[in-house]
PDB file of all heavy atoms in Angstrom:
ATOM      1  N   MET M   1     126.292 125.379 103.882  1.00  0.00           N
ATOM      2  CA  MET M   1     126.868 126.089 102.756  1.00  0.00           C
ATOM      3  C   MET M   1     128.245 126.664 103.110  1.00  0.00           C
ATOM      4  O   MET M   1     129.178 126.598 102.310  1.00  0.00           O
ATOM      5  CB  MET M   1     125.919 127.199 102.307  1.00  0.00           C
ATOM      6  CG  MET M   1     126.482 128.117 101.216  1.00  0.00           C
ATOM      7  SD  MET M   1     126.801 127.249  99.661  1.00  0.00           S
ATOM      8  CE  MET M   1     125.153 127.177  98.986  1.00  0.00           C
ATOM      9  N   TRP M   9     126.142 138.034 100.052  1.00  0.00           N
ATOM     10  CA  TRP M   9     124.808 138.493  99.694  1.00  0.00           C
ATOM     11  C   TRP M   9     124.898 139.871  99.048  1.00  0.00           C
ATOM     12  O   TRP M   9     125.680 140.716  99.474  1.00  0.00           O
ATOM     13  CB  TRP M   9     123.888 138.573 100.910  1.00  0.00           C
ATOM     14  CG  TRP M   9     123.606 137.239 101.533  1.00  0.00           C
ATOM     15  CD1 TRP M   9     124.259 136.656 102.596  1.00  0.00           C
ATOM     16  CD2 TRP M   9     122.618 136.305 101.119  1.00  0.00           C
ATOM     17  NE1 TRP M   9     123.734 135.422 102.870  1.00  0.00           N
ATOM     18  CE2 TRP M   9     122.717 135.173 101.976  1.00  0.00           C
ATOM     19  CE3 TRP M   9     121.655 136.284 100.112  1.00  0.00           C
ATOM     20  CZ2 TRP M   9     121.874 134.072 101.848  1.00  0.00           C
ATOM     21  CZ3 TRP M   9     120.831 135.185  99.983  1.00  0.00           C
ATOM     22  CH2 TRP M   9     120.942 134.093 100.836  1.00  0.00           C
ATOM     23  N   ASP M  10     124.111 140.093  98.005  1.00  0.00           N
ATOM     24  CA  ASP M  10     124.122 141.363  97.307  1.00  0.00           C
ATOM     25  C   ASP M  10     122.749 141.568  96.665  1.00  0.00           C
ATOM     26  O   ASP M  10     121.916 140.656  96.688  1.00  0.00           O
ATOM     27  CB  ASP M  10     125.223 141.382  96.245  1.00  0.00           C
ATOM     28  CG  ASP M  10     125.673 142.795  95.913  1.00  0.00           C
ATOM     29  OD1 ASP M  10     124.962 143.751  96.259  1.00  0.00           O
ATOM     30  OD2 ASP M  10     126.760 142.944  95.306  1.00  0.00           O
ATOM     31  N   ASP M  17     119.103 134.805  90.434  1.00  0.00           N
ATOM     32  CA  ASP M  17     119.017 134.666  91.903  1.00  0.00           C
ATOM     33  C   ASP M  17     120.395 134.540  92.539  1.00  0.00           C
ATOM     34  O   ASP M  17     120.568 134.884  93.715  1.00  0.00           O
ATOM     35  CB  ASP M  17     118.196 133.440  92.274  1.00  0.00           C
ATOM     36  CG  ASP M  17     116.701 133.700  92.155  1.00  0.00           C
ATOM     37  OD1 ASP M  17     116.291 134.552  91.354  1.00  0.00           O
ATOM     38  OD2 ASP M  17     115.934 133.054  92.893  1.00  0.00           O
ATOM     39  N   ALA M  18     121.350 133.986  91.811  1.00  0.00           N
ATOM     40  CA  ALA M  18     122.673 133.770  92.379  1.00  0.00           C
ATOM     41  C   ALA M  18     123.673 133.490  91.273  1.00  0.00           C
ATOM     42  O   ALA M  18     123.311 133.100  90.168  1.00  0.00           O
ATOM     43  CB  ALA M  18     122.656 132.592  93.370  1.00  0.00           C
ATOM     44  N   ALA M  31     124.675 135.573  96.255  1.00  0.00           N
ATOM     45  CA  ALA M  31     123.227 135.357  96.195  1.00  0.00           C
ATOM     46  C   ALA M  31     122.485 136.692  96.351  1.00  0.00           C
ATOM     47  O   ALA M  31     122.948 137.598  97.047  1.00  0.00           O
ATOM     48  CB  ALA M  31     122.783 134.374  97.264  1.00  0.00           C
ATOM     49  N   HIS M  32     121.310 136.767  95.723  1.00  0.00           N
ATOM     50  CA  HIS M  32     120.464 137.959  95.781  1.00  0.00           C
ATOM     51  C   HIS M  32     119.825 138.056  97.171  1.00  0.00           C
ATOM     52  O   HIS M  32     119.100 137.164  97.601  1.00  0.00           O
ATOM     53  CB  HIS M  32     119.380 137.864  94.705  1.00  0.00           C
ATOM     54  CG  HIS M  32     118.750 139.172  94.381  1.00  0.00           C
ATOM     55  ND1 HIS M  32     118.129 139.954  95.296  1.00  0.00           N
ATOM     56  CD2 HIS M  32     118.630 139.842  93.187  1.00  0.00           C
ATOM     57  CE1 HIS M  32     117.651 141.045  94.739  1.00  0.00           C
ATOM     58  NE2 HIS M  32     117.948 140.999  93.445  1.00  0.00           N
ATOM     59  N   SER M  33     120.068 139.164  97.841  1.00  0.00           N
ATOM     60  CA  SER M  33     119.565 139.337  99.211  1.00  0.00           C
ATOM     61  C   SER M  33     118.124 139.822  99.265  1.00  0.00           C
ATOM     62  O   SER M  33     117.501 139.798 100.332  1.00  0.00           O
ATOM     63  CB  SER M  33     120.455 140.320  99.975  1.00  0.00           C
ATOM     64  OG  SER M  33     120.435 141.602  99.334  1.00  0.00           O
ATOM     65  N   GLY M  34     117.563 140.218  98.131  1.00  0.00           N
ATOM     66  CA  GLY M  34     116.227 140.794  98.140  1.00  0.00           C
ATOM     67  C   GLY M  34     115.098 139.810  97.854  1.00  0.00           C
ATOM     68  O   GLY M  34     113.944 140.213  97.741  1.00  0.00           O
ATOM     69  N   ARG M  35     115.413 138.534  97.737  1.00  0.00           N
ATOM     70  CA  ARG M  35     114.377 137.545  97.459  1.00  0.00           C
ATOM     71  C   ARG M  35     113.651 137.123  98.742  1.00  0.00           C
ATOM     72  O   ARG M  35     114.210 137.268  99.853  1.00  0.00           O
ATOM     73  CB  ARG M  35     114.990 136.300  96.812  1.00  0.00           C
ATOM     74  CG  ARG M  35     115.770 136.552  95.543  1.00  0.00           C
ATOM     75  CD  ARG M  35     114.896 137.111  94.452  1.00  0.00           C
ATOM     76  NE  ARG M  35     115.591 137.090  93.156  1.00  0.00           N
ATOM     77  CZ  ARG M  35     115.417 137.984  92.207  1.00  0.00           C
ATOM     78  NH1 ARG M  35     114.584 138.998  92.409  1.00  0.00           N
ATOM     79  NH2 ARG M  35     116.055 137.885  91.060  1.00  0.00           N
ATOM     80  N   PRO M  36     112.438 136.562  98.638  1.00  0.00           N
ATOM     81  CA  PRO M  36     111.749 136.027  99.827  1.00  0.00           C
ATOM     82  C   PRO M  36     112.587 134.935 100.486  1.00  0.00           C
ATOM     83  O   PRO M  36     113.374 134.245  99.813  1.00  0.00           O
ATOM     84  CB  PRO M  36     110.447 135.456  99.242  1.00  0.00           C
ATOM     85  CG  PRO M  36     110.237 136.192  97.965  1.00  0.00           C
ATOM     86  CD  PRO M  36     111.617 136.463  97.419  1.00  0.00           C
ATOM     87  N   GLU M  37     112.398 134.740 101.785  1.00  0.00           N
ATOM     88  CA  GLU M  37     113.217 133.773 102.523  1.00  0.00           C
ATOM     89  C   GLU M  37     113.077 132.365 101.979  1.00  0.00           C
ATOM     90  O   GLU M  37     114.051 131.613 101.898  1.00  0.00           O
ATOM     91  CB  GLU M  37     112.836 133.811 104.010  1.00  0.00           C
ATOM     92  CG  GLU M  37     113.275 135.084 104.733  1.00  0.00           C
ATOM     93  CD  GLU M  37     114.771 135.327 104.639  1.00  0.00           C
ATOM     94  OE1 GLU M  37     115.548 134.360 104.861  1.00  0.00           O
ATOM     95  OE2 GLU M  37     115.165 136.439 104.344  1.00  0.00           O
ATOM     96  N   THR M  38     111.844 131.976 101.604  1.00  0.00           N
ATOM     97  CA  THR M  38     111.677 130.619 101.091  1.00  0.00           C
ATOM     98  C   THR M  38     112.424 130.421  99.783  1.00  0.00           C
ATOM     99  O   THR M  38     112.997 129.369  99.509  1.00  0.00           O
ATOM    100  CB  THR M  38     110.180 130.308 100.858  1.00  0.00           C
ATOM    101  OG1 THR M  38     109.605 131.341 100.025  1.00  0.00           O
ATOM    102  CG2 THR M  38     109.432 130.232 102.176  1.00  0.00           C
ATOM    103  N   ARG M  39     112.451 131.456  98.969  1.00  0.00           N
ATOM    104  CA  ARG M  39     113.159 131.363  97.681  1.00  0.00           C
ATOM    105  C   ARG M  39     114.674 131.341  97.928  1.00  0.00           C
ATOM    106  O   ARG M  39     115.408 130.601  97.243  1.00  0.00           O
ATOM    107  CB  ARG M  39     112.773 132.544  96.802  1.00  0.00           C
ATOM    108  CG  ARG M  39     113.408 132.528  95.415  1.00  0.00           C
ATOM    109  CD  ARG M  39     112.668 133.428  94.476  1.00  0.00           C
ATOM    110  NE  ARG M  39     113.306 133.527  93.178  1.00  0.00           N
ATOM    111  CZ  ARG M  39     112.764 134.065  92.097  1.00  0.00           C
ATOM    112  NH1 ARG M  39     111.518 134.494  92.167  1.00  0.00           N
ATOM    113  NH2 ARG M  39     113.395 134.154  90.964  1.00  0.00           N
ATOM    114  N   LYS M  40     115.148 132.142  98.870  1.00  0.00           N
ATOM    115  CA  LYS M  40     116.587 132.150  99.149  1.00  0.00           C
ATOM    116  C   LYS M  40     117.041 130.793  99.665  1.00  0.00           C
ATOM    117  O   LYS M  40     118.148 130.330  99.352  1.00  0.00           O
ATOM    118  CB  LYS M  40     116.921 133.244 100.183  1.00  0.00           C
ATOM    119  CG  LYS M  40     116.838 134.663  99.611  1.00  0.00           C
ATOM    120  CD  LYS M  40     117.470 135.683 100.522  1.00  0.00           C
ATOM    121  CE  LYS M  40     116.664 135.985 101.725  1.00  0.00           C
ATOM    122  NZ  LYS M  40     117.201 137.131 102.509  1.00  0.00           N
ATOM    123  N   ARG M  41     116.195 130.150 100.442  1.00  0.00           N
ATOM    124  CA  ARG M  41     116.554 128.837 100.993  1.00  0.00           C
ATOM    125  C   ARG M  41     116.740 127.814  99.862  1.00  0.00           C
ATOM    126  O   ARG M  41     117.683 127.034  99.861  1.00  0.00           O
ATOM    127  CB  ARG M  41     115.458 128.382 101.969  1.00  0.00           C
ATOM    128  CG  ARG M  41     115.796 127.147 102.762  1.00  0.00           C
ATOM    129  CD  ARG M  41     114.865 127.039 103.955  1.00  0.00           C
ATOM    130  NE  ARG M  41     115.194 125.869 104.764  1.00  0.00           N
ATOM    131  CZ  ARG M  41     114.563 124.703 104.680  1.00  0.00           C
ATOM    132  NH1 ARG M  41     113.548 124.562 103.858  1.00  0.00           N
ATOM    133  NH2 ARG M  41     114.913 123.677 105.442  1.00  0.00           N
ATOM    134  N   PHE M  42     115.805 127.834  98.907  1.00  0.00           N
ATOM    135  CA  PHE M  42     115.924 126.904  97.779  1.00  0.00           C
ATOM    136  C   PHE M  42     117.125 127.286  96.906  1.00  0.00           C
ATOM    137  O   PHE M  42     117.840 126.394  96.384  1.00  0.00           O
ATOM    138  CB  PHE M  42     114.651 126.913  96.946  1.00  0.00           C
ATOM    139  CG  PHE M  42     114.605 125.813  95.922  1.00  0.00           C
ATOM    140  CD1 PHE M  42     114.215 124.528  96.276  1.00  0.00           C
ATOM    141  CD2 PHE M  42     114.990 126.036  94.602  1.00  0.00           C
ATOM    142  CE1 PHE M  42     114.181 123.511  95.344  1.00  0.00           C
ATOM    143  CE2 PHE M  42     114.964 125.011  93.670  1.00  0.00           C
ATOM    144  CZ  PHE M  42     114.562 123.743  94.053  1.00  0.00           C
ATOM    145  N   THR M  43     117.370 128.578  96.742  1.00  0.00           N
ATOM    146  CA  THR M  43     118.515 129.019  95.946  1.00  0.00           C
ATOM    147  C   THR M  43     119.829 128.477  96.511  1.00  0.00           C
ATOM    148  O   THR M  43     120.685 127.998  95.773  1.00  0.00           O
ATOM    149  CB  THR M  43     118.570 130.556  95.876  1.00  0.00           C
ATOM    150  OG1 THR M  43     117.405 131.022  95.189  1.00  0.00           O
ATOM    151  CG2 THR M  43     119.813 131.046  95.152  1.00  0.00           C
ATOM    152  N   LEU M  44     119.970 128.550  97.829  1.00  0.00           N
ATOM    153  CA  LEU M  44     121.225 128.045  98.436  1.00  0.00           C
ATOM    154  C   LEU M  44     121.341 126.537  98.248  1.00  0.00           C
ATOM    155  O   LEU M  44     122.446 126.016  98.014  1.00  0.00           O
ATOM    156  CB  LEU M  44     121.261 128.400  99.924  1.00  0.00           C
ATOM    157  CG  LEU M  44     121.395 129.904 100.237  1.00  0.00           C
ATOM    158  CD1 LEU M  44     121.514 130.110 101.749  1.00  0.00           C
ATOM    159  CD2 LEU M  44     122.588 130.513  99.530  1.00  0.00           C
ATOM    160  N   GLY M  45     120.244 125.810  98.347  1.00  0.00           N
ATOM    161  CA  GLY M  45     120.278 124.382  98.077  1.00  0.00           C
ATOM    162  C   GLY M  45     120.642 124.093  96.626  1.00  0.00           C
ATOM    163  O   GLY M  45     121.399 123.168  96.335  1.00  0.00           O
ATOM    164  N   HIS M  46     120.139 124.926  95.736  1.00  0.00           N
ATOM    165  CA  HIS M  46     120.441 124.799  94.304  1.00  0.00           C
ATOM    166  C   HIS M  46     121.927 125.037  94.048  1.00  0.00           C
ATOM    167  O   HIS M  46     122.591 124.278  93.333  1.00  0.00           O
ATOM    168  CB  HIS M  46     119.585 125.828  93.552  1.00  0.00           C
ATOM    169  CG  HIS M  46     119.835 125.902  92.094  1.00  0.00           C
ATOM    170  ND1 HIS M  46     119.009 125.326  91.164  1.00  0.00           N
ATOM    171  CD2 HIS M  46     120.816 126.519  91.387  1.00  0.00           C
ATOM    172  CE1 HIS M  46     119.457 125.575  89.948  1.00  0.00           C
ATOM    173  NE2 HIS M  46     120.555 126.309  90.061  1.00  0.00           N
ATOM    174  N   GLU M  47     122.468 126.109  94.637  1.00  0.00           N
ATOM    175  CA  GLU M  47     123.898 126.407  94.442  1.00  0.00           C
ATOM    176  C   GLU M  47     124.779 125.326  95.066  1.00  0.00           C
ATOM    177  O   GLU M  47     125.840 124.985  94.522  1.00  0.00           O
ATOM    178  CB  GLU M  47     124.231 127.778  95.044  1.00  0.00           C
ATOM    179  CG  GLU M  47     123.420 128.937  94.495  1.00  0.00           C
ATOM    180  CD  GLU M  47     123.370 128.980  92.975  1.00  0.00           C
ATOM    181  OE1 GLU M  47     124.432 128.814  92.333  1.00  0.00           O
ATOM    182  OE2 GLU M  47     122.279 129.169  92.436  1.00  0.00           O
ATOM    183  N   PRO M  64     116.764 129.676  90.085  1.00  0.00           N
ATOM    184  CA  PRO M  64     116.121 128.362  90.248  1.00  0.00           C
ATOM    185  C   PRO M  64     114.616 128.391  90.046  1.00  0.00           C
ATOM    186  O   PRO M  64     114.061 127.467  89.440  1.00  0.00           O
ATOM    187  CB  PRO M  64     116.485 127.987  91.687  1.00  0.00           C
ATOM    188  CG  PRO M  64     117.724 128.716  91.974  1.00  0.00           C
ATOM    189  CD  PRO M  64     117.613 130.016  91.223  1.00  0.00           C
ATOM    190  N   GLU M  65     113.950 129.426  90.515  1.00  0.00           N
ATOM    191  CA  GLU M  65     112.491 129.470  90.373  1.00  0.00           C
ATOM    192  C   GLU M  65     112.112 129.521  88.903  1.00  0.00           C
ATOM    193  O   GLU M  65     111.215 128.829  88.447  1.00  0.00           O
ATOM    194  CB  GLU M  65     111.948 130.708  91.088  1.00  0.00           C
ATOM    195  CG  GLU M  65     112.016 130.635  92.587  1.00  0.00           C
ATOM    196  CD  GLU M  65     110.952 129.714  93.122  1.00  0.00           C
ATOM    197  OE1 GLU M  65     109.763 129.990  92.955  1.00  0.00           O
ATOM    198  OE2 GLU M  65     111.316 128.699  93.738  1.00  0.00           O
ATOM    199  N   LEU M  93     116.056 119.546 100.562  1.00  0.00           N
ATOM    200  CA  LEU M  93     115.158 120.330 101.403  1.00  0.00           C
ATOM    201  C   LEU M  93     113.792 119.675 101.620  1.00  0.00           C
ATOM    202  O   LEU M  93     113.123 119.941 102.630  1.00  0.00           O
ATOM    203  CB  LEU M  93     114.951 121.714 100.766  1.00  0.00           C
ATOM    204  CG  LEU M  93     116.215 122.560 100.619  1.00  0.00           C
ATOM    205  CD1 LEU M  93     115.924 123.830  99.815  1.00  0.00           C
ATOM    206  CD2 LEU M  93     116.810 122.919 101.961  1.00  0.00           C
ATOM    207  N   GLU M 125     109.215 125.063 104.236  1.00  0.00           N
ATOM    208  CA  GLU M 125     109.768 126.426 104.130  1.00  0.00           C
ATOM    209  C   GLU M 125     110.541 126.655 102.837  1.00  0.00           C
ATOM    210  O   GLU M 125     111.643 127.221 102.839  1.00  0.00           O
ATOM    211  CB  GLU M 125     110.621 126.786 105.359  1.00  0.00           C
ATOM    212  CG  GLU M 125     109.841 126.782 106.648  1.00  0.00           C
ATOM    213  CD  GLU M 125     110.673 127.185 107.854  1.00  0.00           C
ATOM    214  OE1 GLU M 125     111.906 127.317 107.686  1.00  0.00           O
ATOM    215  OE2 GLU M 125     110.097 127.373 108.929  1.00  0.00           O
ATOM    216  N   VAL M 126     109.980 126.177 101.743  1.00  0.00           N
ATOM    217  CA  VAL M 126     110.470 126.524 100.420  1.00  0.00           C
ATOM    218  C   VAL M 126     109.313 127.151  99.674  1.00  0.00           C
ATOM    219  O   VAL M 126     108.167 127.148 100.133  1.00  0.00           O
ATOM    220  CB  VAL M 126     111.006 125.288  99.638  1.00  0.00           C
ATOM    221  CG1 VAL M 126     112.165 124.655 100.369  1.00  0.00           C
ATOM    222  CG2 VAL M 126     109.900 124.269  99.406  1.00  0.00           C
ATOM    223  N   SER M 127     109.591 127.747  98.513  1.00  0.00           N
ATOM    224  CA  SER M 127     108.528 128.401  97.771  1.00  0.00           C
ATOM    225  C   SER M 127     107.468 127.403  97.313  1.00  0.00           C
ATOM    226  O   SER M 127     107.710 126.184  97.250  1.00  0.00           O
ATOM    227  CB  SER M 127     109.117 129.110  96.538  1.00  0.00           C
ATOM    228  OG  SER M 127     109.561 128.150  95.617  1.00  0.00           O
TER     229      SER M 127
END
Side-chain angles (χ1 to χ4, degrees):
M1 174 64 80
W9 294 96
D10 205 344
D17 281 28
H32 198 303
S33 61
R35 304 297 192 212
E37 290 303 314
T38 54
R39 183 161 174 168
K40 287 194 287 188
R41 189 163 181 261
F42 190 82
T43 295
L44 293 183
H46 176 102
E47 303 310 315
E65 290 285 298
L93 299 173
E125 297 183 352
V126 299
S127 69

